[in-house]
Amino acid sequence: MSRHNVEIRTDGRSVGEVVIDGYDIAGAVTGLAFTAAVGRVPTVRLDLRLIDVSALGSTTAEVLLGEGVADALTLLGWTPPESDR
């Protein structure tokens, strides 16, 4: 699993910013969990606004990613299709 610099800023009621390697992806985050234990690298689990396009019933569809989703996926190792770059 790759490691990233993560900053989470909150006002106590909701998450205001989720910054990974300098990019705020809060617009794509629907939830998160932070876990830390002595002697272990902390982990952050992110829940992102994504849809399952495998059940659309069509062999061709245009997939649109919500604000911040492509940035979040790219930071986590995804490579966008050549046509989207």
Side-chain angles (χ1 to χ4, degrees), residues 7-8 11-12 23-25 27 29 35 37 40 45 47 49 51-52 59 67 75 84-85:
E7 298 175 46
I8 300 167
D11 62 8
Y23 295 95
D24 184 6
I25 62 164
V29 176
T35 305
R40 294 188 178 204
R45 190 196 81 232
D47 298 321
R49 257 184 221 125
I51 61 167
D52 178 5
T59 57
E67 180 184 340
L75 284 170
D84 291 349
R85 293 185 199 165

Side-chain angles (χ1 to χ4, degrees), residues 50-54 56 60-66 69 78 81 84:
L50 300 175
I51 61 167
D52 178 5
V53 296
S54 65
L56 287 176
T60 304
E62 182 176 2
V63 177
L64 304 174
L65 301 177
V69 173
W78 174 67
D84 291 349

Side-chain angles (χ1 to χ4, degrees), residues 3 35-43:
R3 295 182 184 178
T35 305
V38 175
R40 294 188 178 204
V41 175
T43 61

